[in-house]
Amino acid sequence: MYHLLVGLTLAATIFAYIAYTESIWSKSLKTRQAVLDQLGLERVEPNRYKFVGFFHPYCNAGGGGERVLWTAIAHIQRQYKDIVCVVYSGDTDASKTDIIHKVKARFAIDLEPSALHFVYLKSRHLVEDSRWPRFTILGQSMGSIYLAWEAMCEFIPDLYIDTMGYAFTFPAVTWLTRAAVPIGAYVHYPTISTDMLGRVRTESWKMRAKRVYYRLMMYYYALSLSHARFLMVNSSWTRNHIASILSHEHFGPTMRWAPRLTPLLAIELALSAKALRTMLCMGDHLAGVSQAIQNVEPEIVYPPCDMREMLKFRLDDRERIILSVAQFRPEKDHTAQLRAFAQLLMDHPEYKSLPKSEVRLVLLGGARNSGDLDRVERLRSLASDLDILSHVTFVVNASYPEVLEWLSRSSIGLSTMVDEHFGINIVEFMAAGLIPLVHASGGPLHDIVVPYQSQPTGFHAKTPGEFATAMHKILSVEPLQMRALRERGRAWATERFSEDKFVEGWEKSGWRSLTYPRRAC
């Protein structure tokens, strides 16, 4: 009797799962026709158009990650007339027209409305870090799974590409589409890295528990990444971390076997690409696909930088402005910038009092929400407490022409984020002729501010004191040396980080070939 009940329960569960996913597919197929009608595209050939979905809940944020998204979409629109790009966005307060206009204003990127569709997600608050004050990684990961469910219930694409780093959506997409939709990703920053493990060093029981938590999340992160058919990453720092996580080299025998014990076994089966495809698609062909997914290697595709206008800027006679271009997010560490600048003015009062020597700090960045705007106000308050407010300018949500104006005038480009995955703002600094002063970690250290023709292209620092010292050193460089430094930085930026290089790398990922397979199970 027990076995009969188990069998009936299993059969009922499978039937319910098949019926539910069939209903999602049926709704999506009808939505496809409605989208084509809405965009004014002909329906002469039902399968002519392929839909590429981009999961980017903060597509209207205006940061470097959004430049990658919109550059990729603009390229696809120019090159492939049979592709409709679908963006899964949580910006419910912005219309399609609003977003397109902001992309034009912020990035000078032209989008074709007739080949672009938005699916608005109402539950974006579930991936806000403020929503999860404890167990933030776990909470945001679970929130992203719910968002993926919401997204697939609205529209199932032919190819799913995550461009924001929500790898835990991959198994959800696989479950909801019955492994029929190929998955790819452009990874800006790993959800959890070995660096995070390295920072948990004390031996208290809390720290030991935290290490176990981090290792479990890293293990499940690796399982989720295994669903991807291609993985593009934005820097060698990100590639090394992702490759390390996928190799499971940080998991000893205990960590490899612990997740296979009840009840953690259920989580492993739910997230593992190999297990899912074995359960969903019992066939040799799909088993081969599973193996290909398991062995995918992350490939570096540097983010694009539109340098056309920046290359026109003069390299001489710059104003004594230290410019920061970064969204007002906690990890950007604007506080360190203010403290470093305060230290500079304290050590060298002439930068504060003498008109010809006066130096200003400009903090330019985007604010995504009320939390970011509150952060700006707190930074203003800190600047006032440090007695430097009269020498600091805040520029919030500037248009692209405004950004270019500040880049054309400033002398030093400042970035203080620790373990910055890439730093497209730093590339813009170099292309525009600013001297980059960056944190000695991550992409800025290993990929961007590196020697060019065996000569330096910028400066690195770690502490506010080191940043203050480097600021003074740059401000004291002789004009001829300064111009040579600017020229090297510009030459390196244009040689390695152009939009053409990005497009070339994007095409090598093989994304196009994955738009053809349709429902496999």
Side-chain angles (χ1 to χ4, degrees), residues 30 46 67 75-76 118 121 144 147 192 210 323 370 493:
K30 293 177 182 177
R67 178 183 284 281
H75 160 66
I76 290 172
F118 287 87
L121 308 176
S144 70
L147 270 187
I192 183 167
K210 194 170 187 177
L323 177 65
S370 59

Side-chain angles (χ1 to χ4, degrees), residues 330-352:
E331 63 271 22
K332 298 301 181 180
D333 204 0
H334 292 87
T335 298
Q337 298 177 3
L338 292 175
R339 295 193 184 281
F341 186 63
Q343 186 67 49
L344 173 71
L345 298 187
M346 183 183 299
D347 295 343
H348 303 278
E350 66 274 17
Y351 292 148
K352 191 173 184 180

Side-chain angles (χ1 to χ4, degrees), residues 378-393:
R378 290 196 295 273
L379 291 170
R380 290 185 196 273
S381 178
L382 176 61
S384 179
D385 293 342
L386 295 171
D387 195 26
I388 59 173
L389 185 57
S390 60
H391 295 270
V392 178
T393 301

Side-chain angles (χ1 to χ4, degrees), residues 3-62:
H3 294 293
L4 178 60
L5 288 175
V6 171
L8 290 175
T9 301
L10 180 61
T13 301
I14 294 173
F15 178 78
Y17 167 69
I18 293 174
Y20 182 70
T21 52
E22 279 295 329
S23 69
I24 294 176
W25 271 106
S26 178
K27 176 183 176 181
S28 183
L29 292 175
K30 293 177 182 177
T31 304
R32 284 172 178 250
Q33 303 302 327
V35 169
L36 292 176
D37 291 340
Q38 179 183 335
L39 297 177
L41 300 175
E42 296 181 2
R43 292 196 287 169
V44 178
E45 302 175 41
N47 296 322
R48 175 187 174 189
Y49 293 101
K50 302 297 179 181
F51 293 83
V52 176
F54 292 86
F55 191 80
H56 206 107
Y58 293 92
C59 73
N60 205 33

Side-chain angles (χ1 to χ4, degrees), residues 96-124:
K96 176 179 176 177
T97 301
D98 293 336
I99 295 174
I100 290 175
H101 285 170
K102 183 171 181 177
V103 171
K104 174 65 175 178
R106 176 65 182 89
F107 303 119
I109 294 176
D110 292 305
L111 298 172
E112 175 52 57
S114 65
L116 180 62
H117 178 68
F118 287 87
V119 173
Y120 288 98
L121 308 176
K122 300 176 182 178
S123 304
R124 190 178 70 180

Side-chain angles (χ1 to χ4, degrees), residues 271-299:
L271 296 180
S272 169
K274 187 174 182 180
L276 277 178
R277 288 181 178 275
T278 299
M279 289 187 289
L280 295 177
C281 309
M282 305 291 289
D284 292 337
H285 172 69
L286 283 171
V289 171
S290 177
Q291 185 65 27
I293 293 174
Q294 188 177 12
N295 294 331
V296 68
E297 292 290 336
E299 298 292 338

Side-chain angles (χ1 to χ4, degrees), residues 69-238:
L69 168 70
W70 299 121
T71 301
I73 288 178
H75 160 66
I76 290 172
Q77 289 185 333
R78 289 191 301 268
Q79 197 71 20
Y80 304 100
K81 301 304 180 182
D82 62 334
I83 296 288
V84 175
C85 294
V86 178
V87 179
Y88 298 98
S89 170
D91 297 293
T92 56
D93 58 340
S95 68
K96 176 179 176 177
T97 301
D98 293 336
I99 295 174
I100 290 175
H101 285 170
K102 183 171 181 177
V103 171
K104 174 65 175 178
R106 176 65 182 89
F107 303 119
I109 294 176
D110 292 305
L111 298 172
E112 175 52 57
S114 65
L116 180 62
H117 178 68
F118 287 87
V119 173
Y120 288 98
L121 308 176
K122 300 176 182 178
S123 304
R124 190 178 70 180
H125 61 278
L126 294 178
V127 296
E128 296 275 358
D129 52 4
S130 59
R131 176 85 178 184
W132 310 97
R134 297 287 185 273
F135 298 99
T136 306
I137 297 174
L138 176 61
Q140 288 183 304
S141 300
M142 293 174 62
S144 70
I145 292 173
Y146 185 89
L147 270 187
W149 170 79
E150 184 181 351
M152 294 302 102
C153 286
E154 291 295 327
F155 191 94
I156 297 177
D158 294 292
L159 170 64
Y160 175 91
I161 304 177
D162 166 50
T163 49
M164 270 208 77
Y166 292 110
F168 283 89
T169 64
F170 299 176
V173 171
T174 300
W175 273 109
L176 292 167
T177 65
R178 303 219 296 271
V181 175
I183 295 169
Y186 187 99
V187 183
H188 296 273
Y189 197 86
T191 297
I192 183 167
S193 68
T194 53
D195 290 351
M196 295 173 67
L197 287 173
R199 296 190 188 110
V200 184
R201 296 175 180 173
T202 61
E203 293 302 318
S204 68
W205 71 268
K206 287 186 178 180
M207 291 301 101
R208 290 182 180 180
K210 194 170 187 177
R211 275 200 296 271
V212 172
Y213 163 62
Y214 277 171
R215 287 187 183 279
L216 272 175
M217 290 305 301
M218 185 181 292
Y219 181 80
Y220 293 138
Y221 180 54
L223 292 181
S224 297
L225 285 171
S226 69
H227 290 261
R229 300 285 295 277
F230 62 86
L231 282 173
M232 293 178 278
V233 296
N234 63 349
S235 68
S236 60
W237 185 91
T238 306

